[in-house]
Amino acid sequence: MANHKSSLKRIRQDKKKAEHNHYYAKTMRNAVRKLRAMTNKEEAEKLYPSVQKMLDKLAKTNIIHKNKAANLKSSLAAHINQLG
């Protein structure tokens, strides 16, 4: 266990930040799952901009890597395009 006040504070801050990041990453994963599960093209096209915005925000704040966000957006767009 840490002994310095500053290291104790850093542990508290890191724990809080990790919890925050985990919440938003989990929310993003659920949104991506929901979009991939859709079979109606119109509904998927309506949901896609909000998922895209979420991915961009998470990449900007370094919760996920920018290339991961780009890969997810690309694969989701391809999924929507192949829907009938």
Side-chain angles (χ1 to χ4, degrees):
M1 186 65 197
N3 292 321
H4 294 283
K5 272 182 99 170
S6 61
S7 55
L8 292 171
K9 180 178 178 179
R10 174 59 60 197
I11 290 168
R12 287 195 310 270
Q13 288 175 332
D14 289 345
K15 187 175 179 183
K16 187 175 181 181
K17 201 173 293 185
E19 194 174 311
H20 175 267
N21 290 348
H22 178 75
Y23 169 79
Y24 284 103
K26 185 70 173 175
T27 304
M28 176 269 303
R29 284 195 301 274
N30 288 337
V32 169
R33 267 192 216 110
K34 183 178 177 184
L35 187 60
R36 281 205 179 113
M38 287 187 169
T39 54
N40 187 351
K41 188 170 185 169
E42 289 78 30
E43 286 181 26
E45 285 175 340
K46 285 180 187 174
L47 182 64
Y48 181 68
S50 63
V51 174
Q52 187 177 14
K53 183 179 178 182
M54 186 185 305
L55 289 168
D56 288 336
K57 280 186 175 182
L58 293 178
K60 188 174 94 174
T61 57
N62 291 321
I63 294 174
I64 61 171
H65 196 273
K66 63 178 181 148
N67 291 352
K68 180 183 176 83
N71 289 336
L72 285 171
K73 289 192 296 186
S74 172
S75 67
L76 290 173
H79 170 72
I80 291 171
N81 285 334
Q82 68 93 32
L83 288 175

